[in-house]
Amino acid sequence: MRALYLASVALHILAAALWVGGMLFFVTVVLPALSHPSLRPSRSRIIEHVGRAFRPVAWSALATLLVTGTFNLFYRWTDWDSIITGNFWHTPIGNLFGWKVVLVTAMVALHALHDFWLGPRAAEALERGENSAATLRCHASWAGRLVMIISIAVVVLAVTFVRGC
Ligand code: HEM
């Protein structure tokens, strides 16, 4: 069982690296590369295709984080009784973990909004040459930035949770 727990922690960290790293790579490498004048005319199309390609990777990483994170929580940190009676949430570790749950929920909700509503609507508007395309793209890009900032906060919280308590 201990080996399974260690594998689960490793998988959790790999999934977090894929999720946050994918976004950081996009912002620090892909976007600056696309500002090259020769690529500017296709910039929106490329961003759309990169976004579509990242979608299944990102959702798989999130599902892995949820499954492995829940397993790790019950293996090392708490049990059902403490969760249900509320005892866990009143400890320093439980308190930090509660904040992690709040941030992860907000992050997933925003990411879903970005992936399934703002992103596709911006792409459609661009295709039809509608005026709303620029506004929708701006909203989609802000939603993406917020998801990235929350994700980084979740990593900081996770490290504090494991090593700070
Ligand atoms: C989806 C719900 C999640 C749950 C239930 C969860 C739960 C946990 C638990 C219980 C640990 C401690 C593992 C241990 O050492 O026993 C942990 C560690 C960690 N989590 Fe999560 N997590 C979730 C999502 C995330 C997300 C979205 C990220 C990244 C954005 C993340 C990043 C990390 C990192 C980097 C660690 C390792 C911290 C360290 O060893 O210092 N987790 N998580």
Side-chain angles (χ1 to χ4, degrees), residues 9-164:
V9 173
L11 207 58
H12 193 77
I13 290 170
L14 271 176
L18 185 62
W19 163 251
V20 187
M23 283 185 283
L24 286 175
F25 180 77
F26 183 74
V27 169
T28 58
V29 178
V30 178
L31 287 183
L34 290 179
S35 64
H36 192 274
S38 65
L39 295 173
R40 266 211 200 118
S42 338
R43 192 173 185 271
S44 299
R45 286 264 167 277
I46 298 175
I47 290 176
E48 186 195 330
H49 283 282
V50 173
R52 271 180 214 266
F54 187 55
R55 195 182 290 177
V57 177
W59 285 104
S60 306
L62 283 176
T64 306
L65 282 166
L66 185 70
V67 173
T68 54
T70 307
F71 178 81
N72 300 341
L73 184 71
F74 287 108
Y75 182 89
R76 178 170 167 191
W77 303 94
T78 189
D79 52 39
W80 268 117
D81 271 0
S82 314
I83 296 260
I84 290 163
T85 56
N87 288 343
F88 173 65
W89 307 106
H90 293 110
T91 63
I93 287 176
N95 199 276
L96 271 181
F97 188 75
W99 280 108
K100 182 169 174 176
V101 172
V102 169
L103 284 183
V104 168
T105 307
M107 180 191 86
V108 171
L110 252 178
H111 184 62
L113 182 77
H114 174 275
D115 261 18
F116 301 121
W117 200 69
L118 288 171
R121 284 197 55 195
E124 273 169 34
L126 192 75
E127 192 126 311
R128 295 198 199 113
E130 288 169 9
N131 292 337
S132 59
T135 315
L136 283 165
R137 243 187 54 201
C138 181
H139 289 167
S141 114
W142 269 106
R145 277 179 207 155
L146 256 178
V147 169
M148 199 181 76
I149 291 166
I150 299 176
S151 304
I152 292 169
V154 171
V155 171
V156 173
L157 211 59
V159 174
T160 316
F161 168 74
V162 174
R163 285 151 224 282

